[in-house]
Amino acid sequence: MFARSVAVVGTGYVGLTTGACLASLGHRVVCADIDAAKVGKLVRGEIGIREPGLAELVREGIAAGRLSFVVGAAAALAELQSRGTPVEVMFLCVPTPMGVGGVADLAAVEAVVEETRDVIPEGCVVVNKSTVPVGTADRTSELLGRPDVGVVSNPEFLREGSAVHDFLNPDRIVVGSNSSQDAAERVAALYARLGAPTVLTDAASAEMIKYAANCFLAMKLSYVNALAELCERLDADVADVTEGIGYDKRIGQAFLSPGPGWGGSCLPKDIHALLQVADSADFEFRLLRATIDTNTRQFQRMVEKIRKAVTGKRSGSVTRKRIALFGLTFKAGTDDLRDSPALGVAALLKQAGAELVAYDPGIAAASSSIDGSLLTVVDDPYEAAKDAEAIVILTEWPEFRSLDWQRLGAAVAERTVVDTRNLLDPAVVRRADFDWVGVGRAAPYVASSLATSSVSAVRKPA
Ligand code: UGA
C-alpha cells in the first residue's frame, strides 16, 4: 500500500479515530485542533475520552512517528510540508452542531476553509467527514475558490464506544465527488486495506447517505419502542417479537432493543437536520416527524412507568420521592452525556418533584459536569440505592447485571426496579424480592416462563 500524507482537522470522536486508525494503516497523519490544552494532552497520548482501543492506537502511532498533533489546521499542513511530504488529503472532522431551526451549523467548517485556503497545496483533496447538509461539498468548493483542490464527501459511520472497531471493520466506504473521479478514488484508496465495499457517487448522494443511515436507525428504534408499548397493551413480549422479526435478513437483529428513547450527539441532531432539509425542499417528511414524536413520547412513557411503579398509578405523584438512576450516558461503553435519554427522563422526573441520585460506571462523581440541581452523582451503586423508592436502569451497562440485589434490597426503601433497557434477568431480581418492570415485556412471561418456556431452547443468552 502506498502511504499518504494526511491532515485531520478536529480531534473529536470522529477526527481522533480517523487520525489514529489511518496512522495504524500506515499513513502519515497530522491531527489539528483549535484547543491547545487538548493538543498538549494528545501529544502525550492522553485522549480524554472513553473509547476502547483508541488510546493504545494513538500511542502506537506517536511512537511509530506516523501520528502527531498540532494546534490549528494551517499548522498541520505546514508540519507535513516541513517533513517534505505535502498534504495529499485533508479531512474536515469538525463539529456541526444543531443550529437555529435544526439546521446544521457550519461555522467550524467555514473557519477551517478560511484558515487554510491559501496554504493547501495544489492537487490536495479536501474531505468532509463531518455530517453536513446536502450541498456542503459544493459550498465548500465555492468558499475555497481553488479549482486545483478537489472537495469530496466521505461520511463516517462509526459508533461511539466501538469507534476503532467500526472504523477498521466498516460495512462500506462511501466517497462522493462532483469535481473529479480521481479525487474520490484517491480518498477511497486510503481505506484499501480494509477490503470494504466502496460506493463512489456524487457529493450530494454521499452527504444524503449519512443522514439517511442515521435517520433510518432512529426510525427503527422508534418503531421498536412503539411496538413495545403495543406489546404491553396486548400482553405480547417485545423481546420475542424482535427476535422473531430480526431473523428476517431484510430486517436484521441489530438496533431492535427498546429503551428509554434514543439519543446521543448524532441521531437527534441528524434527524432534525434532515427534517429541516426536507422542509426547505418543500417536502413534508411525515415519517421523520413521527419518529421524533415517538421518541419524545418514549421519555414521558418511562416517567409514567416510574410513577406507576412508585405510587401504583401512572399519574401518581413522585414529589420528594427518592429515586436511584443507574446509568446516565446515552448508551453503555461511553462517557458521553450529550442528548442522553437518561438525562431527558431525569429532567422530567425532577420537574415532577422527585429527588434523584445517580450512579454511572462511566461518570465519576468528582468530574461530573452534570448540574447538581438536577441530580446528585455518586461513585457507588449501593450508595445511590440508599433509601430509594425505586431503582431505574437507564443505560445498558453490562455491569448492572452482576449487582448484588440482596445488598441493594437492604439499602432501598422499596424493592422496585424499572428497567428501561430490559437489561436485567427478571428472575434474578425477583429472587431478591424486587418488583421488576421492563419495557414491552408481557407480565406472565417474565414472571414464570423464562427458564421453562419451550422457546427458551432457541433463545440466545441475554
Ligand atoms: C450513531 C450511528 O449508529 C453511527 O453509525 C454514526 O456514525 C454515528 O451515530 C454518527 O453519526 O457519528 P452513536 O451516536 O455512537 O452512533 O450511537 P448509536 O450506537 O447509534 O446509539 C444511538 C442511540 O440509540 C443510543 O441512545 C442507544 O442507546 C440507542 N439504541 C441503540 C437503542 O435504544 N436500542 C438499540 O437497539 C440500539
Side-chain angles (χ1 to χ4, degrees), residues 28 30 32 74-75 86 92 187-188 198 211 226 240 244 259 287 317 319 376 380 389 391 409 436 447 449 452 456:
R28 289 174 298 260
V30 178
L92 304 181
V187 173
T198 301
Y211 284 111
D240 288 349
L287 200 51
S317 167
T319 305
T376 307
D380 175 65
E389 308 264 342
I391 293 175
W436 179 88
S449 63
T452 55
S456 66

Side-chain angles (χ1 to χ4, degrees), residues 114-178:
E114 186 67 33
E115 181 187 347
T116 54
R117 180 184 292 124
D118 299 329
V119 284
I120 300 177
E122 190 184 339
C124 174
V125 185
V126 173
V127 184
N128 254 329
K129 220 175 200 357
S130 306
T131 307
V132 288
V134 178
T136 302
D138 283 347
R139 190 158 153 220
T140 308
S141 264
E142 263 168 48
L143 280 173
L144 203 56
R146 290 275 308 268
D148 57 323
V149 172
V151 177
V152 311
S153 163
N154 168 222
E156 182 50 60
F157 303 100
L158 58 81
R159 291 162 300 172
E160 286 183 24
S162 53
V164 170
H165 173 272
D166 290 353
F167 190 99
L168 295 175
N169 300 276
D171 290 335
R172 75 302 207 182
I173 300 293
V174 174
V175 187
S177 166
N178 293 344

